């Protein structure tokens, strides 16, 4: 113990200087390490903020465009034109958006429950009017899966004029179809036409390219 005291008394100045140097060096090293870390944290914060803002902007854009369809409604309505509606809207909602039907509108030819699709054209016919073949609102036609340019006529809703436009069906056969439909109700399939006199198997086979139920 006495030897340690002698060493301390002899070298205490040097030991104190060494201790001060160690403390200062440690302080500088720790300060430098913390300083080096700060830009990284700030950079991460900026990047995270940018990503968050970018995602927010993208989400906003999606909310503004998602779930909306544009439809064009024509014919016997108060205010024909192009309207934007929710994607799950029906034809009756499009009709309401257009101010409702005119007094002479024939809504019996229109499927008001049909769901809307984007860029759909809806035509509301007047009483006694034959809707255009391309009218989607009349719901008497559907696209032919084999040829999109050949419309399919629904024999359960088609008028005589529409039936007569099909090759192989004249006035007489159109009347027979309407008479059968009135007496027996809706057709279950196109093959049921064979139950009508004048509609043989070959004739019905050809008509399948143009008729649907």
């Amino acid at each position: 113990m006495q030897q340690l005291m002698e060493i301390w008394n002899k070298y205490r100045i040097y030991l104190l200087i060494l201790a001060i140097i160690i403390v200062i060096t440690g302080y500088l090293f720790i300060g430098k390490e913390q300083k080096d870390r700060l830009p990284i944290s700030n950079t991460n914060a900026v990047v995270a903020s940018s990503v968050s803002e970018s995602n927010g902007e993208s989400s906003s854009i999606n909310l503004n465009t998602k779930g909306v369809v544009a439809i064009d409604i024509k014919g016997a309505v108060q205010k024909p034109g192009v309207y934007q509606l929710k994607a799950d809207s029906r034809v009756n909602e499009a009709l309401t958006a257009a101010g409702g039907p005119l007094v002479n509108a024939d809504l019996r030819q229109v499927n008001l429950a049909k769901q809307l699709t984007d860029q759909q054209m809806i035509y509301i016919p007047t009483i006694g009017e034959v809707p255009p073949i391309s009218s989607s609102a009349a719901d008497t036609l559907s696209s032919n899966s084999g040829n999109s340019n050949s419309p399919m006529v629904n024999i359960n809703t088609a008028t005589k004029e529409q039936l007569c436009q099909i090759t192989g069906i004249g006035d007489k056969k159109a009347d027979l179809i309407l008479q059968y439909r009135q007496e027996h109700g809706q057709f279950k399939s196109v093959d049921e036409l064979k139950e009508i006199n004048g509609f043989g198997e070959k004739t019905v086979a050809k008509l399948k390219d143009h008729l649907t139920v």
Side-chain angles (χ1 to χ4, degrees), residues 5 11 18 26 33 50 64 78 85 94 101 122 156 167 180 196:
M5 291 298 296
Y11 298 103
L18 179 61
E33 185 178 8
S50 298
N64 289 336
Q78 300 289 343
L85 300 170
I122 301 172
N156 286 323
T167 303
Y180 183 91
I196 304 175

Side-chain angles (χ1 to χ4, degrees), residues 165-205:
Q165 292 178 12
I166 300 173
T167 303
I169 299 180
D171 288 344
K172 184 177 180 180
K173 287 186 176 180
D175 288 334
L176 290 174
I177 292 175
L178 295 177
Q179 181 181 351
Y180 183 91
R181 193 172 71 193
Q182 184 176 3
E183 294 175 354
H184 299 85
Q186 293 192 340
F187 289 87
K188 304 296 187 299
S189 68
V190 177
D191 285 325
E192 194 174 342
L193 287 172
K194 298 176 185 178
E195 302 295 328
I196 304 175
N197 291 332
F199 287 85
E201 187 170 346
K202 291 183 179 180
T203 301
V204 174

Side-chain angles (χ1 to χ4, degrees), residues 5-185:
M5 291 298 296
E6 290 178 356
I7 294 173
W8 167 253
N9 291 330
K10 186 176 181 179
Y11 298 103
R12 62 182 177 181
I13 296 177
Y14 301 104
L15 292 174
L16 288 173
I17 294 173
L18 179 61
I20 292 172
I21 292 173
I22 292 174
V23 171
I24 293 174
T25 302
Y27 177 81
L28 293 176
F29 178 80
I30 294 173
K32 183 177 184 301
E33 185 178 8
Q34 290 179 346
K35 184 177 180 181
D36 291 340
R37 289 179 179 176
L38 285 176
I40 297 175
S41 300
N42 292 337
T43 301
N44 290 338
V46 172
V47 172
S49 176
S50 298
V51 171
S52 176
E53 291 176 1
S54 176
N55 289 339
E57 182 179 358
S58 176
S59 299
S60 176
I61 293 174
N62 289 336
L63 288 174
N64 289 336
T65 58
K66 185 179 180 181
V68 176
V69 294
I71 57 95
D72 183 11
I73 185 166
K74 305 176 183 292
V77 295
Q78 300 289 343
K79 299 177 181 179
V82 177
Y83 295 88
Q84 287 190 342
L85 300 170
K86 292 182 179 179
D88 58 352
S89 299
R90 308 286 173 167
V91 171
N92 68 315
E93 294 175 85
L95 186 59
T96 300
L102 298 178
V103 292
N104 61 339
D106 188 2
L107 298 181
R108 294 175 302 175
Q109 300 189 60
V110 182
N111 183 357
L112 297 175
K114 186 174 182 179
Q115 188 168 357
L116 301 177
T117 58
D118 192 36
Q119 302 180 28
Q120 180 179 356
M121 193 277 284
I122 301 172
Y123 186 83
I124 307 298
T126 57
I127 297 174
E129 179 186 7
V130 179
I133 293 298
S134 60
S135 172
S136 57
D139 200 37
T140 58
L141 308 178
S142 63
S143 297
N144 185 341
S145 58
N147 184 356
S148 60
N149 294 324
S150 299
M152 298 282 283
V153 175
N154 190 323
I155 55 177
N156 286 323
T157 58
T159 62
K160 179 179 178 179
E161 289 79 5
Q162 290 172 330
L163 291 172
C164 288
Q165 292 178 12
I166 300 173
T167 303
I169 299 180
D171 288 344
K172 184 177 180 180
K173 287 186 176 180
D175 288 334
L176 290 174
I177 292 175
L178 295 177
Q179 181 181 351
Y180 183 91
R181 193 172 71 193
Q182 184 176 3
E183 294 175 354
H184 299 85

